[in-house]
């Protein structure tokens, strides 16, 4: 079950509460009975795997960036292999 952080808008009391997703948000401060506000912060979720974003933190194991870089260098330097069965044209 997730842990939610709350802060009281009246007295500033901060606390965490473990609640199910289906539970209603807390509304009353346990210290002064004032109004509570749920705090949102950064979450610790990391998406690992292929195909998420170009800026993934994965190293060169994906192969797509190194493959495209090598094919670009081959086409610009003229070292790309010629097709095997190309008939000569008289253009």
């Amino acid at each position: 079950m997730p842990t939610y952080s709350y802060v009281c808008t009246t007295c500033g009391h901060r606390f965490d509460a473990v609640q199910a997703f289906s539970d209603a948000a807390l509304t009353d401060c346990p210290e002064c009975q004032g109004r509570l506000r749920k705090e949102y912060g950064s979450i610790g979720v990391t998406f690992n795997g292929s195909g998420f974003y170009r800026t993934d933190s994965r190293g060169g194991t994906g192969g797509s960036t190194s493959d495209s870089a090598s094919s670009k260098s081959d086409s610009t330097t003229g070292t790309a292999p010629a097709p095997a069965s190309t008939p000569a044209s008289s253009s």
Side-chain angles (χ1 to χ4, degrees), residues 25-90:
L26 301 178
T27 56
D28 297 328
C29 176
E31 298 288 320
C32 70
Q33 305 308 316
R35 184 176 164 153
L36 289 178
R37 180 176 56 92
K38 192 183 286 189
E39 288 190 315
Y40 295 98
S42 62
I43 55 173
V45 175
T46 304
F47 295 102
N48 292 325
S50 61
F52 282 98
Y53 294 99
R54 182 177 204 150
T55 57
D56 273 347
S57 61
R58 293 176 63 113
T61 59
S64 63
T65 57
S66 62
D67 290 344
S68 64
S70 65
S71 66
K72 284 182 183 177
S73 64
D74 288 345
S75 64
T76 57
T77 59
T79 58
S85 60
T86 305
S89 63
S90 59

